[in-house]
Amino acid sequence: MAVMRAARLHIPSRELRIEEVERPVPGPGQVLVKVEAAGVCLSDVHLISGAIGSADNPRRRGDSVTLGHEVAGTVAEAGPGVTGWMAGDRVVLQAGEERDGETWTRGVDYDGGWAEYALARVDTLVALPDSISFEQGAIIPDAVSTPWAAITVTAGVRPAQAVGVWGIGGLGAHGVQLLRAVGACPIIAVDPSPAARERALAFGADLALDSADPELGRKIAAATGGAGPEVALDFAGVTAVREQALSVLAPGGKLVLVGLSGRPFTVTDSTAFSFRKLQVLGHYGSGGIAVPELIRLTEGGRLDFSRSISGVLPLERAAEAVERVHHKTGDPIRLVLKP
């Protein structure tokens, strides 16, 4: 029996352990991928802590799971009947797959990529060009594709629209860069961290404001000709953020909830909400076309995610990476594990 190392979350104890487990064998329609890079997401931190995800998830087998939904690597072995992929092909894995009309998330509902090898259904593989590093490729699913889909699909942002971005962490920083790519103007970033605000400006924001600034509303109004942003993107998943974003939206504006919190969502002034005809839209993940689009844009020089890789750590230091993301040590955009 072939074995491999994997970072496994034991759900009852919430412990993350590096273990030797049986190396999976690809079945029909599956490919075994040798993992070269796997991103560490704040959602992984929340999953470990129990802030999100059900302890009795009926989709998951057993009481433990290999984490990691941002994965890039090379094809190691194709299962029976699989064509079009050869050993050594560079690939990115979609962060999940559709099963019976529902989205199953890699590293949550089934084993992910914080391991030496990962199983993937063949329709979740996307070719990764030689010009894009494994580290950059790994973070495109979720860290980049989620804000991309939130911007282009859920919010339907158009060129010259004013957009506010709350929370300039891993998703928000990419959100700013992607809004710049689609022509949003102005792009207003909001975050309590000075380092995050500096990052927002470096990534293309026109204005970066402190969420605690008592003049926030006035400054946003001034930047948008008195109207307010037509779209607000919440990447923080914080109640106060959502209330603040709603308070400055333009009439008819949209608040898109991207950050996950598990907390109730409330509208403090429902009369004002209705009178101003505001909208609140939920968003999760991205469709199958987002990752290929982003890889094509990156390969073509329209996007560059090299600044997003804040550090690369060996798999054995997965717990350290989780702590650094949780406590924002060094203000990382994305840390990457390399088995």
Side-chain angles (χ1 to χ4, degrees):
M1 178 186 73
V3 297
M4 66 176 188
R5 291 171 298 127
R8 304 275 291 171
L9 172 63
H10 289 255
I11 308 298
S13 64
R14 297 291 168 188
E15 288 184 83
L16 181 65
R17 308 173 190 164
I18 304 298
E19 300 179 347
E20 273 201 352
V21 298
E22 185 176 354
R23 192 171 79 187
V25 176
Q30 293 181 320
V31 168
L32 184 67
V33 173
K34 182 181 183 299
V35 177
E36 296 291 344
V40 181
C41 176
L42 189 58
S43 295
D44 297 313
V45 177
H46 292 330
L47 189 66
I48 292 169
S49 70
I52 63 172
S54 171
D56 57 350
N57 186 343
R59 298 173 174 178
R60 189 175 50 239
R61 294 181 179 177
D63 61 0
S64 62
V65 65
T66 299
L67 296 182
H69 54 273
E70 300 178 346
V71 188
T74 58
V75 172
E77 181 184 349
V82 171
T83 60
W85 297 99
M86 298 178 58
D89 284 348
R90 304 173 89 249
V91 294
V92 166
L93 309 188
Q94 297 278 13
E97 60 187 48
E98 292 297 315
R99 300 187 188 181
D100 298 323
E102 295 185 353
T103 300
W104 289 47
T105 303
R106 190 182 308 278
V108 178
D109 300 315
Y110 60 101
D111 286 341
W114 288 10
E116 292 182 279
Y117 293 88
L119 266 187
R121 212 169 64 188
V122 69
D123 61 331
T124 66
L125 268 62
V126 181
L128 181 67
D130 292 340
S131 59
I132 303 175
S133 71
F134 287 116
E135 291 78 12
Q136 291 186 55
I139 69 169
I140 289 177
D142 191 28
V144 185
S145 66
T146 292
W148 176 251
I151 290 164
T152 61
V153 180
T154 302
V157 173
R158 302 186 307 274
Q161 271 195 312
V163 180
V165 181
W166 271 259
I168 315 300
L171 294 181
H174 292 126
V176 168
Q177 186 178 1
L178 297 169
L179 284 166
R180 190 84 180 188
V182 301
C185 182
I187 302 166
I188 303 167
V190 184
D191 197 290
S193 164
R197 295 196 297 273
E198 289 178 14
R199 179 164 61 222
L201 293 171
F203 274 55
D206 298 291
L207 183 65
L209 301 173
D210 185 346
S211 55
D213 185 349
E215 294 292 302
L216 178 81
R218 184 190 63 78
K219 291 177 180 178
I220 289 178
T224 57
E230 296 175 70
V231 173
L233 297 160
D234 166 32
F235 291 111
V238 176
T239 300
V241 159
R242 295 167 173 181
E243 292 180 354
Q244 187 176 73
L246 281 174
S247 72
V248 299
L249 269 178
K254 303 172 185 176
L255 169 60
V256 180
L257 309 182
V258 186
L260 303 178
S261 70
R263 302 183 183 95
F265 173 76
T266 58
V267 175
T268 302
D269 188 342
S270 59
T271 300
F273 180 87
S274 297
F275 180 76
R276 295 166 59 209
K277 298 180 181 178
L278 302 180
Q279 302 175 57
V280 177
L281 304 172
H283 180 84
Y284 182 80
S286 60
I289 191 63
V291 172
E293 286 177 339
L294 290 162
I295 287 177
R296 191 157 60 249
L297 289 168
T298 306
E299 184 182 22
R302 302 299 195 275
L303 298 170
D304 177 11
F305 303 118
S306 58
R307 293 175 296 177
S308 301
I309 309 303
S310 304
V312 179
L313 290 77
L315 181 65
E316 285 75 14
R317 293 170 63 185
E320 176 189 336
V322 168
E323 285 299 305
R324 285 173 59 179
V325 170
H326 177 57
H327 296 291
K328 299 182 180 179
T329 306
D331 289 306
I333 298 176
R334 263 304 187 265
L335 296 177
V336 172
L337 298 175
K338 189 173 180 61

